[in-house]
Structures are given as C-alpha cells and as structure tokens.
Amino acid sequence: MARPVEQVKRASNQLHAAENKPGDISDAALVEMYRQMVMVRQFDRRCVALQRAGRMGTYPPCEGQEACQVGVANALRPQDFLFPTYRDSGAVMLHGVPMERLMLYWNGRPEGAVIPDDVNVFPMAVPIATQLPHAMGAAWAAKLRGVDQVALGLFGDGASSEGDFHVAMNFAGVFHVPAVFFCQNNQYAISVPLSRQTASETIAQKAQAYGFEGVRVDGCDVIAVYRAVKAAVEKAAQGGGPTLIEALTYRYGAHTTSDDPTKYRTAEETDTWRKRDPIPRLQEQLRAWGLWDDEQENACLTEADALVSSAIAAMEAAPTPPPEKMFDHIYKEPTAKLQRQRDELLAMLERRKQAELEQGAAARTEGGKQ
Amino acid sequence: MARPVEQVKRASNQLHAAENKPGDISDAALVEMYRQMVMVRQFDRRCVALQRAGRMGTYPPCEGQEACQVGVANALRPQDFLFPTYRDSGAVMLHGVPMERLMLYWNGRPEGAVIPDDVNVFPMAVPIATQLPHAMGAAWAAKLRGVDQVALGLFGDGASSEGDFHVAMNFAGVFHVPAVFFCQNNQYAISVPLSRQTASETIAQKAQAYGFEGVRVDGCDVIAVYRAVKAAVEKAAQGGGPTLIEALTYRYGAHTTSDDPTKYRTAEETDTWRKRDPIPRLQEQLRAWGLWDDEQENACLTEADALVSSAIAAMEAAPTPPPEKMFDHIYKEPTAKLQRQRDELLAMLERRKQAELEQGAAARTEGGKQ
Amino acid sequence: MSRLTLVQAVQDALREAMRKDERIILLGEDIGKNGGVFRATDGLFEEFGEHRVIDTPLAESGIIGASVGLAVNGLRPIPEIQFMGFIYPAFEQMISHVARIRMRSQGRYSVPMVVRVPFGGRIRAPELHSESTETFFAHTPGLTVVAPSSPYDAKGLLLAATESEDPVVFLEPMRIYRAFREEVPEGWYTVPLGKAAVVKEGADVTVIAWGTMLRETLDVVSRVEAAQGVSIEVIDLRTLSPWDEDTVFESVVKTGRAVVVHEAVGQLGLGAEIAARISEECILQLEAPVARVSSFDVPTPLFAVEDLHAPTPERITAGIEKVLTF
Amino acid sequence: MSRLTLVQAVQDALREAMRKDERIILLGEDIGKNGGVFRATDGLFEEFGEHRVIDTPLAESGIIGASVGLAVNGLRPIPEIQFMGFIYPAFEQMISHVARIRMRSQGRYSVPMVVRVPFGGRIRAPELHSESTETFFAHTPGLTVVAPSSPYDAKGLLLAATESEDPVVFLEPMRIYRAFREEVPEGWYTVPLGKAAVVKEGADVTVIAWGTMLRETLDVVSRVEAAQGVSIEVIDLRTLSPWDEDTVFESVVKTGRAVVVHEAVGQLGLGAEIAARISEECILQLEAPVARVSSFDVPTPLFAVEDLHAPTPERITAGIEKVLTF
Ligand SMILES: Cc1ncc(C[n+]2csc(CCOP(=O)(O)OP(=O)(O)O)c2C)c(N)n1
Ligand SMILES: Cc1ncc(C[n+]2csc(CCOP(=O)(O)OP(=O)(O)O)c2C)c(N)n1
Ligand SMILES: [Mg+2]
Ligand SMILES: [Mg+2]
C-alpha cells in the first residue's frame, strides 16, 4: 500500500523524461501549476522578509512544500472544503482567499481572518490536528445532505501523534465520509524528527488502523501530488470513502520566523532536499516537454512579483481596524456586558487621545520656550 | 500478524484434544487458573446480586471475560504494574487487592480505594483509555530506572477509539518501553458494536501504526491468553518493546447493573458466545487431561463461595468511614481552607446529631402522650 | 399537556425540534438503539432513523470536533456527552474552536450546536460521574451555558437553545431527571436564554440557585421562612453564562442580602463571580456580604459520602441565617 | 550571584534541580536539541543527555499522561507544555488524574510533577498563543498553581515546586521572559509555595497582581502615588491556588480597599474568587467594593489589538481611583 521512501525518490528522478509527459493533465494546467508554485514561493519569501523588517508578525514559511500546496489546491473543486494549518498559506490563497487577506492575518489584523463568502476555506488551525475532526464533520455533513462536496484536511507529520488525528481518521473510516487527509510529511515537527514522532515506518500505513487506503507520494513532485489528490477526491465524491495521503516533502526554511533550524538540522540534509526542489524540477520538465522558455520564465517571475507587491501594498494601506471590533462576533448579538466593556474601551481610548493631545500641546509649548 | 476471527474460533474448538495439553504450563497452574476463574465468576455474580438487593452501587460485571482476567493476572510477575479499568475486578484481585477492598470500592466507600503498599495495581480507570498513557509512563520509568518491571494496561474495544489509546501506543512505540496493551474486545462499548467503533478489521492490526507487534488471541481460552501475555511480558522485560494484544471475548451480562443489554443484543448472539464460555471449556479440558473430577469441582465451588461470602461479610461489617476523611489526601498537607471546611462539616454533623436526638426525644414524648 | 419528568421533557424537546428542523441531527455514545444511558433519546432512533440519531465511536473530541464540521457545513448537531466528567477529551475542541469559530472567522462561520451534558452528583454513581464544572465553560467567552431545574424549563430552554445561532452547553441535572413530574405543554414553546426566573418572591434575602440545587433550596427556604418569619426571594439562574445580572441585581437591591447555592466546589465556582458582581453593583444596598454555599473544595468523593460534599439543607440554612443575622 | 532574565532563572533552576535529584527528568516538545521554543531548557540536553531531557511526540495528553505513570513509578517528571493554549489536549489527564491520583488512591499514589506552562499574551504571537486560563486549574482541587513575576522568584518557586509532593502547574509569564534582569543567587534556594509577597507597602489601598501584570501594576502604582499623594500596597500573589488568604486579608484589613489585576478575562477570572473572599472576610474594614481589572470578556484577539484586550495602565489607574474615591 505505501511505497518505501527510496522507491518514491527513484521514481521522481525520471519524471522529466519525455515519455513521462502526463496525458491526463493539459499543457495549460501544467504551466499554471508552475506559475502558482512560483507565486507561492514569492509570497512566502516576501512574508519572511517582511517579518525580518518588522512589518509582519511571526510567519510559518512553506518554501519547499509548494508542490503540495499547489497540487492539493488544483485537485480540489471549488465546492470542496479545505481545512488548512498555519503552514498552508499557499493552498489557502489558491482555493480563493485573497493574498492580502492572508498577509493581514499574519500581521495580527482581525480583518485578515475574513474568508470571502463563496470560498470554502476554514480558518487555519493553530492547535495541532484539531482541524481533522472538522474536516471529517464537514465531509459527513456533505454526505448526510447529499451534496457533491469533499472535505480535505491538511496536516503535518507531527500532527499524526495527536489524539485528534486518530479520532478524525477513525470517525472518517466508520462513517465512510468523502474526506481526504493530506499529510505534508516534511520530516520535522519544529525540531523533532519523524523518528521521534512515530515508530511506524510510514504515516500512510496508519490508514490500516482505520479501514481505508493510505498512499504515499513524492511531495516534491506537483504532478504526483495533483494526481493522488485528484484520485482521492474523485473516489470520495463517488462514495468510495476517505483516503490518507502522505506526501514526502521538506521545508527549506525555519519552522516559523522565530525558529533557528540550524539547531536541529544539518546543512547536508537541507541540501539534499533542495536538490529535489519542486520548482526547478517542474521547470525542467516543462522545458523538456517544450512548454517553457526563458521568456516565459522571466514574465512569470515578474508577474508573481507584481502580484505579491500589490498585495503587500494593499495590506499596508489597509486602515487600522477600530479596536472595539474585538467585541464583535463573540456571540451573534453582543451581550449587555460586552457592550459595557466596549464603551469602557472607547472611553479609555478617547481619554488616551486627549492625554496625547495635551502632552503634544505641552511639548510644543516647551519647544516654543527654548 | 493478526489472524481473522474465524480462524481463532476454529483453533479454539480443538483445544481440549489430549494432544493439546500444554507442555509449558504445570498441572497445578492449570488447575489454579480454573479455580481463579470460578472465584472471579462467583465474585462477579454476587456483586450483581448485591447491587440488585440495594447492598452495593453500580457494578460493571465481567462474566464471560474470566479467561482474560485470569490469563493476564497469571502471566504478570508480582513486580509488574497493572493498569486496570472498571471491568477488571478479577485481574485486580488476582494481582493482590483484597476482595473486600474491591467490594467496598464498588460500594462507594473511600477506604475501598486503598491498594496495599506492596501491590502494583493502579486505581481502576473510569475515563476511557486514560490508563494507557499511565501504563506507558510506568513502563518508561522502569526502563529509565533499569528496573525489571513491565506495565500492563487493560482496555476495551471501545477504548481503542479514544485519543489516549493512540497517544499511549505511539509513545510506547517511540520509546520502546516494556509495556503490554491488552484489549478485551468484548464486541461492545455499552451498546455500540465494534463495527460502529472502527472500520479496521481487527484491533490488533492497529499496532502497525505504531511500529510494534499486534497479536490476536481467543479471549475465551485462558491458556491462549496466558501464553500470549506471558510472551509479551517476557519480550518486554528483555527489551523487546511493547505488544498490543487483542483478545476476542464477550460479556454475558449487562454493561453495568444500570444497563439493559436486550436493547442492543440478540439472545442468539449471547447464546453463541455462551457456548465458548471459558470456564466449562477449561473444565472439559482439565477433565480430558485427567486433572479434574466432580469432587474437585464441588470443593472448588464451595471454596469460592466461602471466599466471596466472607469478603461480603467483611465489607458489610466494615465501619462507615468518618466523612471528614474526604478532606484527606487532596494535598499532602491539608490546606488551611480545607481544615476550615472540615471543621464546618464536623460542626454540621454534630448539630445534625443533636437535632436528631432532640427529634427523637420529642417523638418519644409525643409517643408517651398518646 | 402531560405530566413529564425532566428527562422526558428533554426527549420531548428533541423530538419537537427534529420534527421542525430537518438540519438537526443527534450524535453521541449509545444514543441510538440504546436511547442514551439516561434514555433521553429513547424512541428517537426509531422515529428519525440512523442518519439523524447517530451512535458514534467512543471519542468525545470526535463528537465535538465533527460537530464543528457538521455545523459549519449546514447541519445543526446536538451532540450528547454521556456525563460531564467525560467532556474533557473534547475540551480543546470546546475552548479553542466551538467557543471561537465565530470570532476566529470574524462572523463568516458559526457553529450552532447544543452540547447536551448531564451534570451534578449524588446519584450513587462511580468515580468521575458527578462533576459540576460549569466554571470551565462559563469562564469561556463565546459559549452559552444553560442549566434547567424543571421539566417545563428543560423543554423550553432546550428548544430555545436549538434556535440559538451560538453554541450552547446544555447542562442537565441528572439527579432530578426522574425526581418529579410537571405539566409540560405539547408542541413548540421556548423559555428565553439569558433570563433568570424569580421563582418565589420575597423581601428579606435573595437566594440564587440552579439545576438540582434549585428545589432543594426551595425546600430549605420554606422551612426557614416558617421557622423565622422572614420572606425569601428565590432566583433560578437558568442561564449560567451570559447570566442575567439585571434580575439578580434588581432582587438584591430590594432585599439587601444574597446567598448563592451551587454544587460546584467553592473556589471559582460561579458563586464567586455572582458574589463579586453583586458586591460591585449593589454595594450601597448590601447589608451583609454575599454568602456562598457550595460543595467543599475537594473532588467529589466516592458516593458513600458524596451527599455531605454537596450543600446540605443545614449548610444552606446556615448560609441564609448568616446573611440575615449579619 | 548573576543577573539573569526570568527564562534564564527557570533554566538555572532546572539545572540545579536535576543536579541534585537524579529522579528528575524533563519531557516535552522541542525541549532537547532545540532547547525549547523559548530556550528555557537550553544546554540541558547537552548536560544531562537524552534520557533526562526528552523530546516527545507531539501529544500533550501523552506528555502529561505518561508523566503520571513516570511519577507513580519513582521518577519526578517536569513536563513542558509549549504554550498554555496547548495544554487542553491534556485537560482530561490534568483534571481527572493528575489532580486526583492522591485522593483516588487514598494516599497510596501521588504524582509529584511540575507542569511548566508559558502563559499570558502580548508577545505578538499567532492565535491561541496568548492564554491566561489559570482559572481552569485554580478551580481544580488537588493542583497547586504558581506564577512567578521575577527571575528571583521564578528560580526559588520552581525549586520549591520540585520539592513538592503534589503536582504543580507552573505558569511562566512569557511576556517578561526576557524583559529585565535581576540578581539571582547561584545554587539552591526556595521561595515557599502558598505564600504571597508584599512587594511594596502602603496604607490606602491594596493592589493584588501576579505574573506579567505585577510590574506593569507597580509602574502604574508609582505614578498614581506621585500624582495623588496616596500610598498603595502591592501584593504579588505568586501562588494562585491554594492562595495566601492571610497575607491578602491582613493587607486589606489595614488599607480598607482592594484592587485585583489580571490578564485573564473578567468573568470567573481569579479576581472573582479573591474579591468574593475579601468581601466575605474583610467586610467590616472594606470602604469600597473590591475592583477587578482584567482582560475584556472576549477571547484574546489577533495581536494588532491584543494590548487593548489586557489591562492597560489607564484601566489599572481607573480601578485604583475607583476604590479610592468610592
Ligand atoms: C496542540 C498543539 N501543541 C503544540 C503546538 C506548537 N506547535 C506548533 S507547530 C508544531 C509542530 C508541528 O509539526 P507538524 O505537524 O509536522 O507540522 P509542520 O509545522 O512541520 O508543518 C508545534 C509543536 C501547537 N500549535 N498545538
Ligand atoms: C471518556 C469517557 N467517555 C465515556 C465514558 C462512559 N462509558 C463508560 S464504559 C463505556 C464503554 C466502554 O467500552 P469498552 O472500552 O469496549 O469497554 P467495556 O465496557 O466493553 O469493557 C462508556 C462509553 C467514560 N467512562 N469515559
Ligand atoms: Mg512537519
Ligand atoms: Mg467493550
């Protein structure tokens, strides 16, 4: 059921051979997935840079995992429901959340949490593995309501240790729901390597405990990811029940901008994985198949840069939200107590403004005197 | 790794054949296990009867599961640490907790919770599956301290659905601890059948998710249970790591004395399992092997009856514990607040006694007047 | 109209709600064929079938976590947790998601669900079957916490809860599931969430209680009134969070004295918040410090002594006398 | 003596304790090679090796549940939970076992362990990294809950916690992990559990705070004193449960006024219990209702506005003025 990792790696190395040009994916779709990977990487790098410059909060980069992000998003249909983690900004934006919304979110701005009404993406899960029961439940609702919709939950290798992973998988198996559980096995949970996470050989094989299929794919190969997810989504939509997919991947950067990966990973290891970088790999393939040239590459980079830059501009231009918004959306209707506290906050802010004005005036007077 | 249930059943049916007389278990040990099963059943039935008579609280019977209780207890060495559930009164008493202590416990009496100092049994877990991380931790401590000790956690089929099952198994695999996880798969979690508990074919195969061995045994065959546990304990003690054992069994009675199993099980099903009753089965074997006769049987029943009766007598003779004991053992040293509350309780009880005396006196006066 | 016990009223409300709203499904352990360990869902499996009355695997975080997904995707789950002591595996889902999804998504998603949880002690149950930890939920913004004390209210509050767009933790006092019967109207009616009830008017002291303690408190109150010639107002809080400050304050302003009675332990039991709020808002009218009568600050002991752990009539009486004679 | 930050003091205490007591092991996520996400265990993996400083799989209920087994079987675990918002998967283990094993076994077993948990907000962290839910633990009999506010106390209280025979929830105020340095003695010393500290004497009002809020409160206090010519007593509660009523009451009896400041939300924050107890015990001396200054009753918002969620200097000032001018 699950292929050993070496086999996966070997298979990957032949992927750019001409005879491997996929018959099941259109040229346009291949090119589009490439563009998307480039865009996601740009987004990711700029977020890290913004954080370093103090213009963004803690950010969890996904560089290295773009094949997963893009493969997953492209295999989903618009009506399918995505349950992401903090590391899935790529998949989230490709499934429909505007880029600047994500940037606002990572900048600690409540309006960044707003997902457009017609976009089936759930708020990114921060507590590990808790999104998996949600995905199971959403898939179950689709089944019970007879709606053609699949729910896909993203999670990491570390998440497979939490109780909620087990519980979600087990429920999904029992109720045979149209769910896909997609594990980005990037080999680490912060600093903890997979060998300390589980004694099981693969994560895919854990599906056997739940009575459904587990598959393993090369998570650096967007085509492989896309195919595996598409097959799982189709199977789910046709009543075939859930699938667990384990994608072997790697994050090139830190766990988050607060992390220092040199404490727990060797440069050699990172280099090895860099050699499997999903972006150059697909680029090589596209070139080999006559679908890509330097001009397109340059245009693509420029376009991605423009997109990301304009999202940053939009994010930075967005007016600061009124802080009293913190009292909205706690209950459908604000309670009397919350209204009182809201007034207290507003009064305090008003006094603060007055005090600042007075201080300013005093300072100006002082200044005038000198 | 895990044999399908039909195969297990077939194997069981030949167990009383003469050539199957175990070479690895002494006659005395076989006879002793039989006696123990009889005693556990007596205990169990009397507890149910006491509950019906209002002389005991809710009790969760284990009738039908005696082969598991006895097989497990006999395979453990005194130094091994048992982590039981509410259904494991049998194993608990055989590992050293006095019978009347258990009866007091099921009668809601705090002193029933006291486990003798030299007995390695943990308080019965009521919240499902929570004992499994404890067993893992105790085994881990033994390993870290270099002590020759194995920890065995008992649990039910339903418990395999909880997060704590997963977490304990996963930790055990990663840290390769001397633990045995013994599942009494009695086919039901209260009313919920195994098919609604998991889509996996067996519980034993769930071990594959954790990188260690899972085995399946006929839980109605005390010899099979004993052997499987003994092997797992030996392996663990020799540094071979954890084992998951799934024993196929059945509870003949209700989930607890508050439950009505006719709501969810058919009489036919119960009858089928009754045919595999571990006690007649071993009796037949012992007789076939020349180790048992009517006289011994009668003596055994009488002895069990006497034991249980004297435990009941001891339980019923035990003085009611002073209620202010509820303030003990919360912290090592009682806090000032708890001492105050203890005094409040004592004062209240004193007033209550006075009031009762006065009422009594008043009633007597009343009575005298008539 | 028929005379129902509290658990029958719960069942009646569930049936009514499921007939009216097709989106409602029940899920939990043993709620199907078995009708629930307290029989609260008896007959519903037969009437609504296995797709609306669903036995789940034994995992509370699955029950609540799946309910989040069910609720955001168009259904109205009513999960049952078998006993309050067994909601803890679902605690992370309750605190980090159920209570916050509306806020986390800035209103895009909400998780209307009614989490039914039998609570309280003194039914001679084994360990951990006797929890009164409403504090955990009342301390958590985003949750509505309800505890009926009678069959009539149980049905009306439960129907109101099914109409709420916010998640409701619905605490059912299991000790009085079958303790008495009351006239309960047939058909649909609601008792509003967030409103306490003055169940008995009085002039000299206000006593606040809920759930199981309400009737026990009323008994004590009538004895104290008879013995001491005082007049006592009794408030059934009904919704524990957000609770009805107006009704409580109005009463205490009138009587000048207050006692809170609950089965939770004292330290940080809901009585602490009520006492603190009364002291903040009614200080000028308050003639004695607010008294709290609660379980002692130890975990519920085994059942041979559990009755002495909870507030006894003597301790409730003492609480009332204390504020009266201050 | 050296000048250490709070997180260094924690680390120093852990090293000290591990050198003294071989039974102590540390376990948690990323505490080994990585030295913990806050670097609290930096260097300990190197000094004590992988059998005493143990990276676990990512599962809090495993960390705490295994610690129960480790503790009853002869070791002294010090589990680390990465952030307070991630202790909830272990909630059942904390409430139903850690807090109760001594009681459940009538003293046969105990689970001495120190559960280290960074808490509080305002470090510009993502969602759910800013919890102050000490109420959950302070409401649970059997647990000791500690929250230091300075490097000196952090080391002394942590060493005292390692000596306790009861489980301790040790809340580390992460906002001030590196905010300032203080002289911290080398070697072994303890600050007693269960004792509050009068960190500043005063006559007119008592202000009670802990953790991060303590120093922020002291700043406000000195400004209010300067501006208004009043004298304010400040108490660092240090142990949140069982808390030091004697020190608090003695102070309030003297000053006649009290304010509690905390980062938890108001409803059922520990301030509720403290206010209720003061009102019960010091009523005759109390010249104003106890004021509570807390976070607003909403979950911690995203970090752009989180500073306004917690008590601000203005709101602390207002709380003090309110009781002074009542
Ligand atoms: C319940 C919980 N515990 C701990 C954390 C802290 N934490 C954040 S990410 C992380 C590691 C997750 O690893 P993995 O699942 O492999 O995902 P990755 O970050 O590698 O994408 C940890 C421990 C958390 N967010 N939630
Ligand atoms: C966390 C938790 N949830 C629910 C319960 C209520 N409950 C008690 S026993 C039981 C069924 C357990 O089934 P299984 O694990 O198969 O053990 P068995 O009773 O069959 O021995 C349930 C749901 C509980 N004790 N703990
Ligand atoms: Mg990972
Ligand atoms: Mg079972």
Side-chain angles (χ1 to χ4, degrees), chain A residues 116-310:
Chain A
D117 274 348
D118 56 345
V119 172
N120 291 314
V121 172
F122 208 62
M124 293 175 171
V126 169
I128 300 297
T130 54
Q131 73 279 15
L132 301 180
H134 305 163
M136 184 278 154
W140 198 6
K143 179 177 174 180
L144 288 168
R145 290 167 53 218
V147 172
D148 178 20
Q149 184 186 32
V150 171
L152 184 144
L154 289 163
F155 65 107
D157 43 313
S160 70
S161 296
E162 286 281 10
D164 268 8
F165 161 80
H166 172 70
V167 160
M169 298 278 289
N170 192 46
F171 267 59
V174 166
F175 295 106
H176 204 65
V177 299
V180 181
F181 300 103
F182 188 93
C183 178
Q184 290 173 83
N185 175 358
N186 65 5
Q187 321 298 325
Y188 287 89
I190 308 186
S191 72
V192 179
L194 190 63
S195 57
R196 181 47 68 91
Q197 206 61 248
T198 181
S200 125
E201 240 179 275
T202 71
I203 288 177
Q205 81 192 48
K206 289 177 189 271
Q208 294 181 36
Y210 310 106
F212 56 85
E213 202 190 353
V215 297
R216 217 173 189 210
V217 293
D218 180 348
C220 304
D221 176 2
V222 69
I223 297 172
V225 171
Y226 170 80
R227 280 185 178 140
V229 179
K230 202 165 157 57
V233 168
E234 275 167 12
K235 175 175 134 188
Q238 284 156 18
T243 306
L244 169 63
I245 302 174
E246 175 187 9
L248 296 166
T249 179
Y250 201 79
R251 67 168 152 76
Y252 297 157
H255 167 71
T256 69
T257 47
S258 320
D259 174 55
D260 172 10
T262 63
K263 291 202 79 165
Y264 53 83
R265 299 192 312 201
T266 64
E268 296 78 63
E269 184 186 286
T270 312
D271 288 348
T272 310
W273 280 94
R274 281 246 185 229
K275 293 204 186 93
R276 300 180 203 139
D277 190 331
I279 295 182
R281 178 188 298 195
L282 181 58
Q283 195 189 132
E284 268 179 57
Q285 290 176 304
L286 292 182
R287 285 180 190 266
W289 301 332
L291 300 175
W292 202 249
D293 60 22
D294 287 352
E295 200 180 324
Q296 281 165 300
E297 176 69 12
N298 288 334
C300 169
L301 291 172
T302 313
E303 184 200 20
D305 189 63
L307 257 169
V308 175
S309 296
S310 90

Side-chain angles (χ1 to χ4, degrees), chain A residues 105 162 196-197 341 352, chain D residues 55 58 60 127 297 314:
Chain A
Y105 175 80
E162 286 281 10
R196 181 47 68 91
Q197 206 61 248
Q341 295 188 350
R352 188 178 277 191
Chain D
D55 278 331
L58 207 179
E60 289 74 12
E127 287 184 272
D297 281 288
E314 290 96 330

Side-chain angles (χ1 to χ4, degrees), chain C residues 194-213:
Chain C
K195 290 264 165 271
V198 178
V199 290
K200 182 190 163 308
E201 297 205 0
D204 301 317
V205 52
T206 302
V207 183
I208 300 145
W210 55 88
T212 297
M213 290 319 305

Side-chain angles (χ1 to χ4, degrees), chain C residues 27-106:
Chain C
L27 67 164
E29 296 155 11
D30 305 293
I31 66 163
K33 258 194 208 169
N34 201 41
V37 290
F38 288 105
R39 305 287 177 256
T41 56
D42 229 4
L44 302 181
F45 180 80
E46 289 71 18
E47 178 171 349
F48 299 102
E50 62 167 350
H51 296 301
R52 295 188 68 198
V53 183
I54 308 172
D55 278 331
T56 66
L58 208 179
E60 290 73 12
S61 92
I63 294 171
I64 301 299
S67 292
V68 169
L70 289 163
V72 294
N73 213 7
L75 294 180
R76 292 263 178 168
I78 305 186
E80 174 178 301
I81 298 292
Q82 215 157 64
F83 287 83
M84 193 166 202
F86 306 141
I87 199 171
Y88 307 139
F91 203 69
E92 180 175 43
Q93 288 289 347
M94 291 297 300
I95 302 304
S96 299
H97 291 298
V98 174
R100 298 196 198 209
I101 285 301
R102 182 185 291 284
M103 184 256 208
R104 293 191 61 229
S105 67
Q106 292 289 295

Side-chain angles (χ1 to χ4, degrees), chain D residues 161-201:
Chain D
T162 66
E163 284 181 334
S164 172
E165 295 299 324
D166 292 309
V168 176
V169 178
F170 194 81
L171 301 174
E172 299 174 3
M174 56 187 187
R175 182 172 154 88
I176 55 169
Y177 258 153
R178 300 185 161 76
F180 59 96
R181 290 171 183 274
E182 194 176 67
E183 292 294 333
V184 173
E186 272 155 38
W188 189 273
Y189 70 95
T190 59
V191 170
L193 304 186
K195 290 262 165 271
V198 177
V199 290
K200 183 191 161 310
E201 297 205 358

